[in-house]
Amino acid sequence: MVRGSIGAFATCDHAMASAILSDSKRFGSFAVAKHKPIDTTVHDDEGRRLIVPMDDSFLSMDPPDHTRLRRMVAPWFSPRAIRQRTETIEAMLEEILDELGRRGGWDAVNDLSVRVPIRVIAAFFGIGEDNYEDFRRWGGIIGTSVDGIRTMSDLRDFRRMLIEMRDFFNDLIVKRTAEPGDDLVSFMVQAAPEGEPLTGDEMIATCGVLLGAGFETTVNLIGNCILTVLGHEDVRQRLLSDPDLIPGAVEEVLRWDAPVQYLLRVTTEPVTMAGVDIPADAPVFVVVAGANRDPRVFGDDAGELDITRPNSRKHLTFGDGIHLCVGAGLARIEAAATLRVLLRKFPDLQLADGAQRRPTRVVRGMTTLPVRQPVAGVAMA
Ligand code: HEM
């Protein structure tokens, strides 16, 4: 545990990171911290407070509200529900990659990685193609906002997005109330956990957090997986000869090239950790990407990529404790299915020039990852 010059604390130690994330009583969410240095509420033109999915959903709540709302979505992420989705996801990938196969080169992030989670999340709400573009834009803005909103133009985009998203989900709630289907919104409008129906704001925040937490994270996991495989010929060859190694490879990418680099907590009372005194209301950065390379857990080669590492799964990329990512299983199968179908269809795919990293700090990955298929009969460099 270290104290930075501005009074924030940080740890890369795996045991400490896990202990902090598992102790939501003493290390609370920043969104609900009692003493915040700045007011983070946003309002519409009529002065109504806007729902901010990452702050107003169960992601930032304590029990019992956290438990009540997480229970609403948990069945949609059960191993059985995920197994049922695997076939649909693979069929969707076949279709996308067939289309990309007709081009010589394409962008593995914008033409492929972003299309997978958007369709998967849209399916939760029973909505189709017409809304993909809006979802993609909203998800992108939420994903970037977790780094902090720095400019007036960012704030304007963020506020506009919150209004559009609220209006969209409000309409959807009205539609599904009148005519329920078999989607998550229909389930929420009919459910009354502990005898209390969900409020409109709770439903909007719950829908929004699935998009906010499930989009950019997964796009970047898929992008990082493709980059790792195409950038390491030995890994590509091993996966081609034994596709059963793909889930392990995804797990190792989650550890070694984590799409989420750190999480933020705030102390709710004075805490002493490893001899360091942390006052109440202090921000604590839990650097999961560092903890993922802690040699005490992953050995002296923790910095190396090893797709058969036996304990990759001990990474903290999905968090820990009560807020452990509810979509972890889904993200894993989205990434594994992408690699499986990609390698089957394009075993020789090559990285092309022009790859660019995202400028963000919380989410790590590529903004663009150009790839090309070798021309038949031309030897690859
Ligand atoms: C590679 C992909 C993903 C990564 C790295 C990731 C990471 C995380 C992390 C670190 C947390 C805990 C945050 C905290 O403790 O402050 C979290 C929570 C959450 N994630 Fe994910 N996530 C991913 C994919 C998804 C997907 C696909 C969904 C849903 C569609 C999703 C929905 C959620 C939700 C709803 C929470 C809140 C859980 C709670 O508070 O109980 N995530 N995620």
Side-chain angles (χ1 to χ4, degrees), residues 194-221:
E194 281 124 51
E196 283 284 312
L198 264 65
T199 66
D201 284 358
E202 284 175 339
M203 286 191 258
I204 293 172
T206 304
C207 293
V209 77
L210 295 184
L211 179 62
F215 176 57
E216 282 289 359
T217 48
T218 313
V219 170
N220 287 284
L221 171 61

Side-chain angles (χ1 to χ4, degrees), residues 21 58-60 66 70 73 77 121 124 209-211 213-215 217-218 221 254 259-260 263-265 316-320 322-328 330-331 334:
L21 296 175
F58 61 93
L59 172 65
S60 297
H66 170 266
R70 181 168 166 133
V73 304
F77 295 94
I121 295 167
F124 278 116
V209 77
L210 295 184
L211 179 62
F215 176 57
T217 48
T218 313
L221 171 61
L254 277 160
V260 170
L263 302 171
L264 180 59
R265 293 292 190 266
L316 295 176
T317 305
F318 288 124
D320 206 346
I322 61 164
H323 294 289
L324 182 73
C325 178
V326 75
L330 184 60
E334 288 182 49

